[in-house]
Amino acid sequence: MLQAVKSANPERGDEPWVGRSIERVEDAALLSGRGRFIDDLGVAPGTLHATILRSPHAHADILSIDAEAARRLPGVAAVLTGSDVKAVTTSLVVGVKAPVECWPIALDRVRYVGEPVAVVVATDRARAEDAAELINVEYRPRNAVVDPLGAITPGAPVLHDGFPGNLASDRAFRYGDPEKAFADSPHRFSIDIRYPRNSCTPIETYGVVASHDAGEDAYEVLANFQGPFSIHTVIARALKVPGNRLRLRTPPDSGGSFGVKQGVFPYIVLIAAAARVTGKPVKWIEDRLEHLTASVSATNRATTLSAAVAADGKILALDWDQVEDCGAHLRAPEPATLYRMHGNLTGAYDIGHVKVRNRVVVTNKTPTGLNRGFGGPQVYFALERLVQRIAIGLGLDPLDVIKRNLIDAGAFPYRTATGALLDSGNYQEAVARAVEQGRLAELKAKRDAARAQGRLYGIGFTAVVEPSVSNMGYITTVLTAAERRRAGPKNGAQATATVGLDPVGSVTVHVASVPQGQGHRTVLSQVVADVFGLQPRDIRVNTEIDTAKDAWSIASGNYASRFAAAVAGTAKLAAERVAGRLARIAASQLNVEAGDIVFAKGFVTSKHNPENRIAFSRVAALSHWSPGSLPDDAGQTIRETVFWTPPELTPPDDEDRINSSLCHGFIFDFCGVEIDPVTLETRIDRYVTMHDCGTILHPGMVNGQIRGGFTQALGAALFEEYAYAEDGSFLTGTLADYLLPTTTEVPEPEIFHMETPSPFTPLGAKGVGEGNCMSTPVCLANAVADALGVADITLPLVPARLAEIVRGAEPPPPAGGTTAAPVRKGDRRLSGEGQATVKGAPEQVWAMLLDPATLQSVIPGCQSVDKITDTHFRADVTLGIGPVTGRYRADVELFDLDPPRAVTLRGGATGALGFGSAEGRITLAPDGNGGTKLSYSYDAAIGGKVASIGGRLLDGATRVIIGQFFTALARKAGGGGAAGGGFSLFALLAKLAGLFGGRR
Amino acid sequence: MKPPAFDYLRAESVGDVLDGLAQQGGDARVLAGGQSLMAMLNMRLAKPKLLIDIMRINELRRIEREGETVVIGAGVRQADLLAWPKLSEALPLVALALPWVGHMQTRSRGTICGSLAHADPSAEMPLALVALGGEVLLRSARRRRRVAAKDFFAGMMLTARADDELIEGISLPIVKGARVAFREVARRHGDFAIVACAAMRTQSGVRLAVGGVADVPTARDWPKLEGSALDDALNAFAYELGARDDVHATARYRRDLVRMIGRDLIGEVLQ
Amino acid sequence: MTRLKADSRHAVRFSLNGKPVEGEAEPRMLLSDFLRHQLGATGTHVGCEHGVCGACTVIVDGMLTRSCLTLAAQVDGCELRTVEGLAPSADRLGVLQQAFRRNHALQCGFCTAGILMSLDHYLAKNPAPTEAEIRDLLSGHICRCTGYTPIIKAALEAAAELTSAKKETSDA
Ligand SMILES: Cc1cc2nc3c(=O)[nH]c(=O)nc-3n(C[C@@H](O)[C@H](O)[C@H](O)COP(=O)(O)OP(=O)(O)OC[C@H]3O[C@@H](n4cnc5c(N)ncnc54)[C@H](O)[C@@H]3O)c2cc1C
Ligand code: FES
Ligand code: FES
């Protein structure tokens, strides 16, 4: 069902432009192919192109890097390894105090799959990739750890010596008297949550163009970075230049970000270093495989949340134990994801006592960073799942438990136990309206009817407070009060806006907001048009940023839903300031008091005598043409820049209370889902979402934000996961494995609004873009839990996982039936066994197994087999399975020789497509007919590129290849030649590593 | 993500293709719709020295009835076959399965034969070929041969095609008045199947073919079975397929689907 | 038969939105890169280079085509249509484009070109599509911003408008 968008360009009345869904100024260009995204802009002649060679290992020492062949390739300008980058940069700052470094490229050790190992710069991208394939990196693998709780168990492999036990931070907080509340309350409920890794993955990937002026030692960078511009200081520091020698610009258009493009900054450093080393501009456009594997992701988190609860469902205290997984490096601004919600750990509820333990750990996964929802999904998944569990435990209706705990409408501004100042709201009213307008009763009747027919139908609820406009100081909550005192205060949310008037009186607005599709230019034209009594089309808005020329601050950028609340409001203040001066000028010209002046319909007019007026453009141009004729007190009206920061955003106090955000919207969602009994797919029957985001500036865009967030949240709930094997292999490296929802999976949510303006922002607006990323995943999980009657729900709701939960024991295989298929253990290891009968006595077969000539003849594509010792072989093979080919270096050793009865083979293979290692035991026994019965068992593991893009087909290939080997061997032994498949362990490994899954 | 370097041969006749394949053997690749091959090249999973574009060869574009079969040439795109007016009447199973292959934007370019050559175990066209018992028409400079569906698929992405052979086309039997059914479960619409099942009533009973579970699409014939005999047969079949776990589904889930969907479809065609 | 050597550039000529264009490409150059970086037709975007996202979709000889899965050499002599050719004139949008703007069917606009091409192609042949048909068609595209429904609404509105416009002209 489609819902009408209230879209109109209504008659020019006196009603303000703000609040109307006018058409966007951005659209005409974007709809006709005239957008200006980073890769659309031309580059200087001679610009070089970079590609990045990345680690196939989750954790390994780099023993050597041989890039000679790559450097010799025509067109290659340079190959930078870690030491080359280190020579011209310093480590990126790390978000906590610890003796740890964070480089944008691996120095002597890789810590996640996809970590940069070398940068190749060449005349074009294809050539750079040709060269990257020629680089030979020797690794010594280490054990990897991917689970946050696993990382802090004793004996776990340690990533950084400066983070003992992989713990980057461990802080405990206490607000009110939680121990007493727990002791006094009749009930205690607890929930353990594993929130998965995912990302909002914009469709445009990262892009950087960098150049270096050696004369001034200054960098110029164009990147589709989104802010916060606090990162500018991080980059400048890493490049070892003062801020004024790093000119950072953004392109006019950006293809979505959702937080993710904050994560481009380590690549800015890397590409800038490449520009410096080559002396030429260098351009890098990230490709999709790089993006999925190694750009950035949201944090995954292990949470134990307990609540002290009264008999009526009132929650008296919460006890949070959060273990935040930031991946392999703690990159700025992490551990911000964990602290962004610190003021909001009680959600929409009035809960006086809170205990918190926050641990930040590192694991062998891609480092984390900004992502839409930023900490909210992780917190609300625990909190709102717990609320449902409390209701079930106490035999109450989940909605009643929500209502019982909501903050009272009369309590605003309300200070939460952990320090947030909730600006405004009427949560009860919002819930009541949603229940009514969203027809909850009807949904419940539907559930009853469906259940009566034996169908799996459930309803879920969530209430969520959506924080926006981050306090730049919240992250310092990770420090102790004493550490904060030493470091000096950090707080606020400085927004900037500039309004300029040109000699013909037309208006230009500039803000440092860096939109990625949110229509900032349109909304600002509305806001400023209202102030000047003009039309939006009269206002021209520029939202690009150039740190060398524009007004900006560390808080600039597009994140934490700060645009409507902070930036648009600041633009209004700037316009008003100019308007105030224009009013004085006009007053003197019209001979009236300045207080009598209004701006309307393109004129500056006397309120009392509307005939007495002067064209806006005339007044506006005066500062240019005749500054001398301005009244003395008016000042110039050519350009005005306003800096605005809300006073409410104070630093954390000594009790660690932090007002982490300025505004707090409210969301109440409920939904009905039905689970297919055969496929266990979750179908969303109806999704209702009620928003109070304060004053709405542009309804069409607000709904657009809600729908977009809802869709990403639906993806997180049902499909998306950055999946890792236990050995750190990355398993979802293509868009055919990291599944984004498409038109056929996304229903239209029913959106309702209530407007309680924020008293803290100039326009009364609050942020709205992130709320559904916080509310929707858990709302769907609650509905599925209700449908299936289960307590534990893990995202994403993969049907096969639900099968494990809801289906009883599987029918056993028929007696004496099939041989069991190879079993894959938790990691990417694959084990199996089999048998074959071979002509020829065991002695003959034995000799073949140990003979390089035989091996060479049965391994397809084998270039050479070098016998290092009698039991150690090295081979160079070019291998393919079906259409997939690759070249590998393989190394095989034989152990535990028991001629002619048994031998163990152990080996590994590496190539551009990945690596493999395996161990196999082969036993030979006479079959009684002059032949040999050959039994084998094996244990193999593969990783690298091929695991992340071909996972689906890997396991099956093993069987195929092993089967093929024995067929070939049997043929050879029987004198039948070795046509067709071939074998050896390295053939196996190489072939394994050469597979590619078909889901493109 | 840019392809490695290769020569490009725009073939104008089948002879051009066969010559190219004969000369370059395993280092040559036929380029048909490109919907699998190009992605693999972009990811540098394949390193052919020569690509032979077969899409400008008119003689490969045929869809023709030949007696009791339909012959589909290597130049026939998936969209062309879907638009063939006689499709539902002559090849009702293909009519059901083909819309599940990718998306409109990939069917417009991808070919029927390319999908068979690629031999993804989850692909729909290999399943249809096996279910119908069709034949693959192979041709090299040396010889022409026909390979039965069940002998064509040798494993995951492996076929009986030799390096110098072109799949010239396929031949699918027209089963008169056949009752057929098809169902597929994928994570999202247009994805490769987790499990795809095709059922067909045969003279002696019923045939069920399953894709997405074993390394190759696999068909099984049964007499008319009912009740627990059918359950047992399906259960045994489900296990025999040797399902495995991957990121998208578990082996057990796949077996569940074979049992449940298999039963439904058999019920449908035997009705 | 034409054989183009791997390491040299070869002339590629085709018609782009009705006008002849020409450039040089190595055999391995993708059509998406050729359009964008040789011809400067940057309206066609690249989001995945493995056929899934749909951002690069163009029309080649009447066929919807992922330009990232097509070689420039393959389209020599063909007729191509891209987003740059949709508007009736530089300062006016076509019916479908207007419907997109009216319905806020785009945010960042990165996915939009491909979606417009799929719709333009489809609506020409199926003037009265159902919502389900449009959803099926567009399942071959990923949009990360809009949540899709405004796109579907725009498509249905444009279809209705195109049909009634056609009716008017044929009535006249
Ligand atoms: C987004 C997306 C989704 C997809 N979803 C599905 C899906 O759900 N189900 C599905 O089945 N497929 C799916 N596919 C793949 C499908 O579209 C391809 O059409 C098919 O796999 C290959 O056909 P092609 O003509 O494009 O072959 P190409 O890509 O040109 O070739 C594939 C392989 O076959 C070889 N080859 C091709 N033709 C011949 C021939 N005549 N003789 C010898 N060798 C030949 C090539 O050398 C190559 O190795 C999807 C693809 C994409 C991009
Ligand atoms: S770029 Fe071609 S489909 Fe994504
Ligand atoms: S509008 Fe941004 S991806 Fe579609």
Side-chain angles (χ1 to χ4, degrees), chain A residues 252-516:
Chain A
D253 292 308
S254 174
S257 172
F258 324 110
V260 173
K261 283 180 179 154
Q262 173 265 342
V264 69
F265 82 89
Y267 294 102
I268 294 179
V269 176
L270 212 50
I271 301 306
R276 173 160 170 186
V277 167
T278 56
K280 291 267 182 63
V282 177
K283 175 172 174 175
W284 171 71
I285 300 291
E286 179 188 51
D287 69 37
R288 180 55 60 184
L289 302 189
E290 298 182 274
H291 187 85
L292 291 169
T293 310
S295 60
V296 85
S297 102
T299 62
N300 54 301
R301 190 179 294 177
T303 302
T304 299
L305 175 62
S306 308
V309 186
D312 64 353
K314 173 89 183 115
I315 302 170
L316 305 168
L318 291 176
D319 182 353
W320 287 92
D321 186 351
Q322 308 189 92
V323 180
E324 177 85 328
D325 180 352
C326 286
H329 299 282
L330 203 62
R331 265 187 205 154
E334 295 290 27
T337 312
L338 185 57
Y339 284 90
R340 192 263 179 122
M341 296 298 294
H342 198 78
N344 303 109
L345 288 174
T346 45
Y349 307 128
D350 179 21
I351 303 171
H353 309 281
V354 182
K355 210 172 134 179
V356 186
R357 182 172 183 199
N358 276 346
R359 279 173 286 181
V360 178
V361 307
V362 288
T363 60
N364 294 107
K365 304 205 291 275
T366 298
T368 59
L370 268 60
N371 242 282
R372 194 177 198 167
F374 204 46
Q378 294 89 330
V379 161
Y380 285 118
F381 193 83
L383 184 58
E384 294 298 299
R385 285 289 301 127
L386 184 62
V387 168
Q388 190 194 46
R389 297 274 287 273
I390 292 171
I392 293 167
L394 297 178
L396 301 171
D397 181 341
L399 183 55
D400 286 339
V401 176
I402 288 176
K403 288 200 227 162
R404 184 140 313 143
N405 287 289
L406 288 176
I407 293 162
D408 209 68
F412 293 96
Y414 169 93
R415 182 74 69 180
T416 67
T418 48
L421 186 62
L422 306 189
D423 44 343
S424 63
N426 185 340
Y427 300 171
Q428 287 78 6
E429 176 68 19
V431 170
R433 285 196 203 174
V435 165
E436 163 80 24
Q437 295 168 6
R439 308 178 314 284
L440 176 62
E442 190 186 298
L443 204 63
K444 283 184 165 169
K446 204 165 172 186
R447 175 174 65 182
D448 294 344
R451 286 187 174 169
Q453 296 169 5
R455 284 152 52 198
L456 301 169
Y457 195 104
I459 295 179
F461 301 92
T462 347
V464 151
V465 163
E466 175 183 1
S468 53
V469 189
S470 284
N471 185 345
M472 294 311 280
Y474 73 74
I475 181 61
T476 61
T477 319
V478 71
L479 306 174
T480 62
E483 285 169 332
R484 284 196 297 266
R485 274 191 295 276
R486 275 198 298 278
K490 286 201 178 65
N491 66 296
Q494 192 77 256
T496 65
T498 299
V499 171
L501 302 177
D502 65 21
V504 294
S506 61
V507 183
T508 303
V509 178
H510 177 266
V511 295
S513 74
V514 206
Q516 286 98 10

